[in-house]
Structures are given as C-alpha cells and as structure tokens.
Amino acid sequence: MHLACQRALQYVATRSAGSPVDPSLRITLNFHPDRTVADQPIARPDLSAHEQACRLPLASVVAELRDLLGAKLVAYISGVKETRAVREWAEGSREPRSPVPDRLRLALQVALLLREHDSAAVVQAWFQGMNPLLDDRAPARALREDDVAVIGAQVLSAARAFAA
C-alpha cells in the first residue's frame, strides 16, 4: 500500500469511534484535494517531500539525493564534473554555489515524491529518461540546464503525473 494511502487510512482511524463496521459491507472513502485540515491540503502526497527538501540542511539534502540517485547523477544535475564535489557537499566540508542548492532541493523533492511510489531504480530511470511532458528531455538535463524558477513547476508536474 502506498504511503499516501496509509496516511489517509491512519487519519481516518485516529478519528473513528465505535465498533468496527460489518466487513461484508463495501465502503468507499473519498478524499478531496481541495479539503484542508489545519490549513493543510489532505490529498497532497508531495507535501511531505516538499517540507523535507526545504527543511533539511543542504548537506543532508545532498546525502539523501546521493543515496537515491547516485553520486554521478547528482553531479550531473549540479553541473559539476566530479563526484568529489558531491561527496564534499554531503560531508558539509564545501558549499555549492548558487543556483545549485535550489536545483538540489527541487531534485530531492521530486525524488522523494517518486520514491513513495516506486523503487530507487525507477526514480533514477525517471530522472534520466526522455519525458514527453518536458518536450522529450530528461528531467535531470532540464534541472541542470534550465533556470529552476522556470523549469521547476514543469518537472514537478511531470513527476506528479508519473506518480499518479
């Protein structure tokens, strides 16, 4: 079961009372994306990925990305030639220059969103493969070459479509 489904069921279970419903009954629960609880959308599985990518220290962002995508792909997205820079960023002994931190945070948000639904190998393949929602460009290439403020929404939209 997907993490988002588990969270939804847990949300309902913590607010339920009384005896269990007859198991022979078929019940459908609908979660509407426009509904909120504590000013947070209920059906936004990518919200936790966004929060994690924003709140983690940059060294942790790089380390998490390296674990999910591999050092070579992180280096490629960052626009550096050597994985040594990725290692040093993950260790906190060196800081990447702007706009690399924004690219890495967005890449982590996307990777975590996809990882909720698929294996790390699928996430890596998604970043490297041609994507029809990005004019048949690889998301890693788009993140590397384009302005994150411009391409970010498109990459996120493509990831959400893939994860749906």
Side-chain angles (χ1 to χ4, degrees):
M1 183 180 314
H2 293 280
L3 185 59
C5 293
Q6 290 172 346
R7 283 195 308 245
L9 289 173
Q10 183 180 21
Y11 177 84
V12 171
T14 60
R15 286 153 180 81
S16 300
S19 59
V21 176
D22 180 354
S24 66
L25 296 175
R26 265 183 83 83
I27 298 173
T28 302
L29 299 176
N30 294 306
F31 292 92
H32 300 278
D34 57 341
R35 298 280 315 273
T36 60
V37 171
D39 295 326
Q40 294 295 320
I42 293 173
R44 289 301 302 258
D46 58 328
L47 186 60
S48 65
H50 171 73
E51 288 178 358
Q52 189 172 351
C54 288
R55 292 179 186 214
L56 283 175
L58 189 59
S60 298
V61 167
V62 176
E64 184 92 18
L65 260 180
R66 184 182 58 189
D67 291 345
L68 286 167
L69 303 180
K72 286 184 181 181
L73 188 51
V74 175
Y76 177 80
I77 291 169
S78 302
V80 296
K81 295 179 181 174
E82 296 179 357
T83 59
R84 178 176 48 117
V86 173
R87 179 180 43 81
E88 291 172 349
W89 297 339
E91 293 169 350
S93 62
R94 184 174 158 194
E95 289 281 324
R97 287 184 267 173
S98 184
V100 173
D102 293 335
R103 286 183 186 145
L104 296 175
R105 288 189 187 280
L106 178 60
L108 179 62
Q109 180 179 350
V110 170
L112 291 173
L113 167 66
L114 295 173
R115 186 65 182 101
E116 285 192 23
H117 302 278
D118 285 295
S119 68
V122 171
V123 175
Q124 290 170 2
W126 185 87
F127 269 89
Q128 295 176 74
M130 291 191 319
N131 192 306
L133 296 176
L134 299 172
D135 295 325
D136 292 327
R137 293 176 61 210
R141 182 176 179 192
L143 288 171
R144 174 188 173 113
E145 295 177 352
D146 295 349
D147 182 356
V148 175
V150 175
I151 198 67
Q154 294 173 17
V155 172
L156 271 172
S157 180
R160 287 177 183 134
F162 186 81

